[in-house]
Amino acid sequence: MCGIVGYLGPAQAAPVLLSELRCLEYRGYDSAGVAVIEDGQLSVMKAAGKLSNLEALLLTKKPAATVGIGHTRWATHGVPNDQNAHPHMDSTGTIAVVHNGIIENHEELREDLIKKGYVFNSETDTEVVAHLVSYEYKVDQDLLQAILRSVAKLQGAYALGIVCQRHPDKIYAVNRHYSLAIGLGEHESFLASDSMAVRQYTNKILKLEQSEVAEISASGARLFDFDGKEVFRKPVSMESNPYIIDKGGYKHFLLKEIHEQPLVLRKTIGKYMSHANKPVNFVVTHNGDETPSYGLNFTDEEIKAFERIHIVACGTAYHAGLVGKYLLEDLCSIPVDVEIASEIRGRRMLVNEKTLTIAVSQSGETADTIAALTEAKLRGSYTLGITNRPDSHLGQITPNLIVTECGIEVSVAATKTYVAQLTSFYLLAIYLAEVRGAVTPERALQLKTTLNTIPMLQERILAKEVEIRKSSLKYAEAHDVVFIGRGLNFPTALEGALKLKELSYIHASGYAAGELKHGPIAVLDANVPVVTVVVPGVVYEKTLSNAQEARARNAQMIAVAVEGDEQVAKMFDTVFTIPAVEELFSPLLTVLPMQLMSYYIADYLGKDVDQPRNLAKSVTVE
Ligand code: F6R
């Protein structure tokens, strides 16, 4: 998390830095700041809270500088206040640093620097970098060498932006296992953690590789490895993809993104499946040499030889992976494990050259997911990424990508990217099943035909929004909500609970319905709403029995069920209905009422639904 930006050129830096930061605010919004060099003088302006606070500050200060770096923070070390906001300066006030990631040995470095007489003004790990570079700079007044000597002492995964008053014509950038993009314009250069932020100015992009330092000037950038050896790499030309901040008439981005789901599905399905009676086709896209291409590069023989699939992901993407497990096991008869990516660290990962490891990450930047896929690759596993960002870190580490067609998801809570990840799993499972001969052609046709109907069925759910809102608000005062589901809709229960708690801050838990009686049932009473996902299929009766157990404890009963289900109508106080669909496809529908319920409760409670407290959209620390 955290976002780094930079600008160097003929224009005023502050507006450009602000505009870049606006594109990166999804990475954290605890504080923001800039460091600019004007008339040979370095100055830092920063403010706790949202970017708008920094914007207001810059309006009063009006810096005219044409070089600067900036930062938007998601707090890791030190509370979110002005003091801990980036940029951080060295003791001489001539060097400023912005930082994304964690310096793991910061305490040791801090102690050493304190002994050398350096005075610290913040609780951050970042400040050690500013003092360390300053210390090394004293040796030979060579900033590039000082940075290289400093990075040799830093442990962890991080990205840095550095400016120095004595070198007002340069910005330095360091990347160690993170993402940093340099945008090269006409006599001006840009820097950002996400290429999207520089693509509003130029489509000539130079991405830093995993252990590189860049010396950026207005006329271009020189790259060096950590040994100081110059690296030569041409910039790539990226499709222009302006970052549009437009709520399209909706009150919040979240609501707009919930409503975009049918369109997103149509686009994602259409991209990989031209017609239900044609095979799913994950073709590699080549748009000329300089454009990144993606697709699946497995031969049919390799696909037939997969013995296991291992899915790694975090948060909502992990829930998509859980649905993926059901689909892949059911349709392809391959055993599948799904793991929370952060739980793999420090463990033996049992994958090999017969395993396909799939990383699911909308941002493609989640540190734990990247680390897990990297580890799998090292162990010889085939790799595949499901992402919304082919230009991300994930896109760099695997040649096999399924790219969801969501456009930018601005709201921090994932909605449209979740259903698009699910859709990717449906397409992948059908594709693998066909290649492996695990489904008959008739069944494959039926599956693809049903998948094509899902966007239309989603539209029918969204059309009932007013009713969903009204029913949801009856539960807005709850302190605890329990979500239950079985089989394919156990992950839906987890996702429903996650959406409600992250948007409304109401405590919510998701359980496998059959697990309720093994402990969680103790929390139920008349004050606790229980949301049961219960759709016709193999687990229908059993799920209803589990719901009965909750009803017997006087819980408030809410169901997500198919239209016209009379048994459900009799048993539950509130029913959110979805159109009837084959159970296998139900997770693409059942989650929608839950997203709307969470949204409307959060909005009613006055919460910041697009940027919930303490969260960041891209979680780049482990
Ligand atoms: C919840 C949410 C998060 C993300 C998680 C992984 O609404 O958005 O739980 O799903 O941080 O992010 P990605 O998919 O970018 O790896």
Side-chain angles (χ1 to χ4, degrees), residues 358-378:
I358 304 175
V360 192
S361 173
Q362 81 76 25
S363 63
E365 300 290 350
T366 300
D368 290 315
T369 308
I370 297 292
L373 195 71
T374 307
E375 177 71 19
K377 199 171 161 182
L378 280 174

Side-chain angles (χ1 to χ4, degrees), residues 22-234:
R22 221 168 275 129
C23 296
L24 299 190
E25 208 183 6
Y26 71 87
R27 299 172 78 100
Y29 31 82
D30 286 334
S31 64
V34 297
V36 294
I37 305 172
E38 190 175 348
D39 300 329
Q41 193 64 40
L42 177 71
S43 49
V44 166
M45 286 152 267
K46 51 193 190 177
K50 298 258 177 95
L51 190 56
S52 48
N53 296 353
L54 175 68
E55 211 167 344
L57 182 68
L58 291 177
L59 269 178
T60 59
K61 302 265 180 189
K62 296 192 177 50
T66 60
V67 54
I69 53 176
H71 189 264
T72 177
R73 178 168 188 244
W74 184 82
T76 56
H77 295 70
V79 296
N81 58 17
D82 285 357
Q83 210 174 6
N84 289 330
H86 299 213
H88 290 282
M89 285 210 267
D90 73 322
S91 307
T92 65
T94 59
I95 293 174
V97 174
V98 288
H99 163 221
N100 177 17
I102 291 178
I103 308 297
E104 286 171 2
N105 57 336
H106 72 102
E107 278 184 16
E108 188 186 309
L109 291 169
R110 180 186 274 252
E111 272 172 34
D112 189 46
L113 287 159
I114 289 172
K115 277 190 206 140
K116 290 188 167 99
Y118 287 86
V119 178
F120 280 76
N121 294 310
S122 76
E123 304 157 274
T124 65
D125 51 343
T126 310
E127 201 183 340
V128 297
V129 183
H131 294 310
L132 188 59
V133 172
S134 177
Y135 171 75
E136 293 293 346
Y137 184 72
K138 279 200 266 171
V139 176
D140 53 10
Q141 316 284 297
D142 183 329
L143 190 53
L144 174 63
Q145 294 307 321
I147 291 170
L148 287 167
R149 286 194 294 273
S150 301
V151 296
K153 295 182 181 166
L154 300 178
Q155 287 167 13
Y158 54 85
L160 303 166
I162 302 169
V163 284
C164 173
Q165 182 174 293
R166 293 195 198 88
H167 305 269
D169 55 345
K170 301 268 185 322
I171 294 176
Y172 289 85
V174 181
N175 185 36
R176 185 167 155 73
H177 301 302
Y178 263 79
S179 284
L180 269 184
I182 299 166
L184 302 170
E186 288 289 318
H187 312 297
E188 57 184 354
S189 298
F190 307 83
L191 172 71
S193 305
D194 182 333
S195 55
M196 187 174 72
V198 301
R199 266 150 71 191
Q200 55 183 324
Y201 297 104
T202 173
N203 67 351
K204 234 168 113 186
I205 310 285
L206 197 52
K207 285 199 128 194
L208 267 74
E209 301 256 313
Q210 290 319 310
S211 293
E212 281 183 351
V213 178
E215 184 181 67
I216 306 166
S217 63
S219 57
R222 294 175 69 195
L223 303 179
F224 302 89
D225 67 17
F226 277 9
D227 295 325
K229 201 164 141 254
E230 190 156 1
V231 177
F232 296 93
R233 197 166 53 249
K234 277 190 178 170

Side-chain angles (χ1 to χ4, degrees), residues 314-317 360-366 369 412-414 421 495 498-499 502 616-619:
C314 301
T316 288
V360 192
S361 173
Q362 81 76 25
S363 63
E365 300 290 350
T366 300
T369 308
V412 168
Q421 287 162 356
E495 179 60 10
L498 177 58
K499 279 300 86 96
E502 70 182 326
K617 185 129 192 96
S618 189
V619 186

Side-chain angles (χ1 to χ4, degrees), residues 530 532 534 544 547 551 557-559 568-575:
V530 175
T532 307
V534 55
L544 273 187
R551 190 177 149 91
M557 301 294 287
I558 306 166
V568 166
K570 276 189 220 137
M571 192 175 143
F572 289 83
D573 308 317
T574 298
V575 184

